[in-house]
Amino acid sequence: AIQAASQNARAAEAAVRVAQSQLSPTVNVSGAFGRRYESLDYPEAKGRTGLVIATLNIPIYEGGAPTASVTKS
């Protein structure tokens, strides 16, 4: 019974941390790299390409849902 209560407490703490993380900004970064080769149709089409995309998401207002989720947890 004590172990079950301890596991339940840890699960509840984890749920609170997950709910709190919804209030924090997130950053996503992705990238791609490619190489173009000559083709018979376009002999000048040759080179390298690269792309990096960074996205910052900041929760501004979501109707109070994330805060309610923290309170509920």
Side-chain angles (χ1 to χ4, degrees), residues 21-29 54-60 62:
S21 71
Q22 295 176 357
L23 300 173
S24 301
T26 59
V27 176
N28 297 311
V29 179
T55 306
L56 173 64
N57 294 311
I58 302 173
I60 296 174
E62 296 180 21

PDB file of all heavy atoms in Angstrom, residues 21-29 54-60 62:
ATOM      1  N   SER A  21       4.531  22.575 -18.125  1.00  0.00           N
ATOM      2  CA  SER A  21       5.303  22.750 -19.356  1.00  0.00           C
ATOM      3  C   SER A  21       4.458  23.372 -20.470  1.00  0.00           C
ATOM      4  O   SER A  21       4.997  23.984 -21.389  1.00  0.00           O
ATOM      5  CB  SER A  21       5.883  21.415 -19.821  1.00  0.00           C
ATOM      6  OG  SER A  21       4.872  20.566 -20.324  1.00  0.00           O
ATOM      7  N   GLN A  22       3.145  23.245 -20.389  1.00  0.00           N
ATOM      8  CA  GLN A  22       2.276  23.854 -21.392  1.00  0.00           C
ATOM      9  C   GLN A  22       2.277  25.380 -21.280  1.00  0.00           C
ATOM     10  O   GLN A  22       1.866  26.068 -22.206  1.00  0.00           O
ATOM     11  CB  GLN A  22       0.852  23.331 -21.256  1.00  0.00           C
ATOM     12  CG  GLN A  22       0.724  21.861 -21.556  1.00  0.00           C
ATOM     13  CD  GLN A  22      -0.686  21.349 -21.317  1.00  0.00           C
ATOM     14  OE1 GLN A  22      -1.559  22.085 -20.874  1.00  0.00           O
ATOM     15  NE2 GLN A  22      -0.912  20.088 -21.606  1.00  0.00           N
ATOM     16  N   LEU A  23       2.736  25.906 -20.148  1.00  0.00           N
ATOM     17  CA  LEU A  23       2.776  27.351 -19.952  1.00  0.00           C
ATOM     18  C   LEU A  23       4.082  27.962 -20.463  1.00  0.00           C
ATOM     19  O   LEU A  23       4.197  29.178 -20.555  1.00  0.00           O
ATOM     20  CB  LEU A  23       2.625  27.679 -18.461  1.00  0.00           C
ATOM     21  CG  LEU A  23       1.336  27.198 -17.789  1.00  0.00           C
ATOM     22  CD1 LEU A  23       1.405  27.438 -16.296  1.00  0.00           C
ATOM     23  CD2 LEU A  23       0.134  27.895 -18.395  1.00  0.00           C
ATOM     24  N   SER A  24       5.064  27.126 -20.789  1.00  0.00           N
ATOM     25  CA  SER A  24       6.388  27.603 -21.189  1.00  0.00           C
ATOM     26  C   SER A  24       6.500  27.743 -22.703  1.00  0.00           C
ATOM     27  O   SER A  24       5.855  27.011 -23.451  1.00  0.00           O
ATOM     28  CB  SER A  24       7.457  26.624 -20.716  1.00  0.00           C
ATOM     29  OG  SER A  24       7.406  26.475 -19.324  1.00  0.00           O
ATOM     30  N   PRO A  25       7.353  28.661 -23.147  1.00  0.00           N
ATOM     31  CA  PRO A  25       7.622  28.772 -24.584  1.00  0.00           C
ATOM     32  C   PRO A  25       8.355  27.525 -25.083  1.00  0.00           C
ATOM     33  O   PRO A  25       9.047  26.851 -24.318  1.00  0.00           O
ATOM     34  CB  PRO A  25       8.530  30.000 -24.700  1.00  0.00           C
ATOM     35  CG  PRO A  25       8.441  30.703 -23.404  1.00  0.00           C
ATOM     36  CD  PRO A  25       8.032  29.702 -22.387  1.00  0.00           C
ATOM     37  N   THR A  26       8.205  27.230 -26.346  1.00  0.00           N
ATOM     38  CA  THR A  26       8.923  26.111 -26.960  1.00  0.00           C
ATOM     39  C   THR A  26       9.667  26.607 -28.185  1.00  0.00           C
ATOM     40  O   THR A  26       9.253  27.563 -28.843  1.00  0.00           O
ATOM     41  CB  THR A  26       7.964  24.977 -27.375  1.00  0.00           C
ATOM     42  OG1 THR A  26       7.006  25.492 -28.294  1.00  0.00           O
ATOM     43  CG2 THR A  26       7.258  24.371 -26.181  1.00  0.00           C
ATOM     44  N   VAL A  27      10.789  25.969 -28.462  1.00  0.00           N
ATOM     45  CA  VAL A  27      11.587  26.285 -29.639  1.00  0.00           C
ATOM     46  C   VAL A  27      11.759  24.994 -30.432  1.00  0.00           C
ATOM     47  O   VAL A  27      12.121  23.964 -29.876  1.00  0.00           O
ATOM     48  CB  VAL A  27      12.981  26.840 -29.244  1.00  0.00           C
ATOM     49  CG1 VAL A  27      13.831  27.072 -30.482  1.00  0.00           C
ATOM     50  CG2 VAL A  27      12.844  28.120 -28.453  1.00  0.00           C
ATOM     51  N   ASN A  28      11.491  25.071 -31.709  1.00  0.00           N
ATOM     52  CA  ASN A  28      11.702  23.942 -32.611  1.00  0.00           C
ATOM     53  C   ASN A  28      12.667  24.377 -33.700  1.00  0.00           C
ATOM     54  O   ASN A  28      12.531  25.466 -34.256  1.00  0.00           O
ATOM     55  CB  ASN A  28      10.378  23.494 -33.252  1.00  0.00           C
ATOM     56  CG  ASN A  28       9.391  22.992 -32.223  1.00  0.00           C
ATOM     57  OD1 ASN A  28       9.733  22.180 -31.385  1.00  0.00           O
ATOM     58  ND2 ASN A  28       8.179  23.493 -32.279  1.00  0.00           N
ATOM     59  N   VAL A  29      13.646  23.533 -33.976  1.00  0.00           N
ATOM     60  CA  VAL A  29      14.615  23.816 -35.028  1.00  0.00           C
ATOM     61  C   VAL A  29      14.678  22.597 -35.935  1.00  0.00           C
ATOM     62  O   VAL A  29      14.759  21.466 -35.467  1.00  0.00           O
ATOM     63  CB  VAL A  29      16.019  24.105 -34.445  1.00  0.00           C
ATOM     64  CG1 VAL A  29      17.013  24.365 -35.554  1.00  0.00           C
ATOM     65  CG2 VAL A  29      15.969  25.283 -33.496  1.00  0.00           C
ATOM     66  N   ALA A  54      13.768  27.859 -37.631  1.00  0.00           N
ATOM     67  CA  ALA A  54      13.572  27.916 -36.185  1.00  0.00           C
ATOM     68  C   ALA A  54      12.198  28.519 -35.915  1.00  0.00           C
ATOM     69  O   ALA A  54      11.826  29.527 -36.504  1.00  0.00           O
ATOM     70  CB  ALA A  54      14.660  28.765 -35.530  1.00  0.00           C
ATOM     71  N   THR A  55      11.459  27.885 -35.029  1.00  0.00           N
ATOM     72  CA  THR A  55      10.129  28.353 -34.675  1.00  0.00           C
ATOM     73  C   THR A  55      10.040  28.524 -33.170  1.00  0.00           C
ATOM     74  O   THR A  55      10.381  27.615 -32.416  1.00  0.00           O
ATOM     75  CB  THR A  55       9.056  27.333 -35.125  1.00  0.00           C
ATOM     76  OG1 THR A  55       9.219  27.055 -36.504  1.00  0.00           O
ATOM     77  CG2 THR A  55       7.666  27.864 -34.884  1.00  0.00           C
ATOM     78  N   LEU A  56       9.594  29.691 -32.726  1.00  0.00           N
ATOM     79  CA  LEU A  56       9.389  29.967 -31.311  1.00  0.00           C
ATOM     80  C   LEU A  56       7.889  30.091 -31.074  1.00  0.00           C
ATOM     81  O   LEU A  56       7.220  30.916 -31.698  1.00  0.00           O
ATOM     82  CB  LEU A  56      10.097  31.266 -30.911  1.00  0.00           C
ATOM     83  CG  LEU A  56       9.850  31.780 -29.499  1.00  0.00           C
ATOM     84  CD1 LEU A  56      10.387  30.794 -28.469  1.00  0.00           C
ATOM     85  CD2 LEU A  56      10.485  33.149 -29.327  1.00  0.00           C
ATOM     86  N   ASN A  57       7.376  29.261 -30.183  1.00  0.00           N
ATOM     87  CA  ASN A  57       5.963  29.314 -29.820  1.00  0.00           C
ATOM     88  C   ASN A  57       5.848  29.809 -28.383  1.00  0.00           C
ATOM     89  O   ASN A  57       6.412  29.209 -27.473  1.00  0.00           O
ATOM     90  CB  ASN A  57       5.318  27.927 -29.928  1.00  0.00           C
ATOM     91  CG  ASN A  57       5.270  27.448 -31.350  1.00  0.00           C
ATOM     92  OD1 ASN A  57       4.838  28.174 -32.224  1.00  0.00           O
ATOM     93  ND2 ASN A  57       5.730  26.234 -31.585  1.00  0.00           N
ATOM     94  N   ILE A  58       5.126  30.908 -28.206  1.00  0.00           N
ATOM     95  CA  ILE A  58       4.929  31.483 -26.876  1.00  0.00           C
ATOM     96  C   ILE A  58       3.435  31.490 -26.584  1.00  0.00           C
ATOM     97  O   ILE A  58       2.668  32.155 -27.287  1.00  0.00           O
ATOM     98  CB  ILE A  58       5.482  32.923 -26.807  1.00  0.00           C
ATOM     99  CG1 ILE A  58       6.962  32.928 -27.157  1.00  0.00           C
ATOM    100  CG2 ILE A  58       5.231  33.521 -25.432  1.00  0.00           C
ATOM    101  CD1 ILE A  58       7.562  34.308 -27.283  1.00  0.00           C
ATOM    102  N   PRO A  59       3.011  30.735 -25.573  1.00  0.00           N
ATOM    103  CA  PRO A  59       1.591  30.749 -25.237  1.00  0.00           C
ATOM    104  C   PRO A  59       1.192  32.111 -24.669  1.00  0.00           C
ATOM    105  O   PRO A  59       1.748  32.561 -23.672  1.00  0.00           O
ATOM    106  CB  PRO A  59       1.432  29.646 -24.196  1.00  0.00           C
ATOM    107  CG  PRO A  59       2.798  29.329 -23.718  1.00  0.00           C
ATOM    108  CD  PRO A  59       3.769  29.832 -24.732  1.00  0.00           C
ATOM    109  N   ILE A  60       0.297  32.790 -25.340  1.00  0.00           N
ATOM    110  CA  ILE A  60      -0.141  34.112 -24.900  1.00  0.00           C
ATOM    111  C   ILE A  60      -1.473  33.999 -24.163  1.00  0.00           C
ATOM    112  O   ILE A  60      -1.591  34.350 -23.004  1.00  0.00           O
ATOM    113  CB  ILE A  60      -0.251  35.087 -26.097  1.00  0.00           C
ATOM    114  CG1 ILE A  60       1.137  35.292 -26.692  1.00  0.00           C
ATOM    115  CG2 ILE A  60      -0.854  36.417 -25.660  1.00  0.00           C
ATOM    116  CD1 ILE A  60       1.151  36.103 -27.961  1.00  0.00           C
ATOM    117  N   GLU A  62      -4.825  31.168 -23.984  1.00  0.00           N
ATOM    118  CA  GLU A  62      -5.517  29.967 -24.458  1.00  0.00           C
ATOM    119  C   GLU A  62      -6.781  29.722 -23.656  1.00  0.00           C
ATOM    120  O   GLU A  62      -7.143  28.588 -23.382  1.00  0.00           O
ATOM    121  CB  GLU A  62      -4.576  28.756 -24.383  1.00  0.00           C
ATOM    122  CG  GLU A  62      -3.371  28.900 -25.302  1.00  0.00           C
ATOM    123  CD  GLU A  62      -2.438  27.713 -25.236  1.00  0.00           C
ATOM    124  OE1 GLU A  62      -2.859  26.633 -24.810  1.00  0.00           O
ATOM    125  OE2 GLU A  62      -1.276  27.888 -25.613  1.00  0.00           O
TER     126      GLU A  62
END
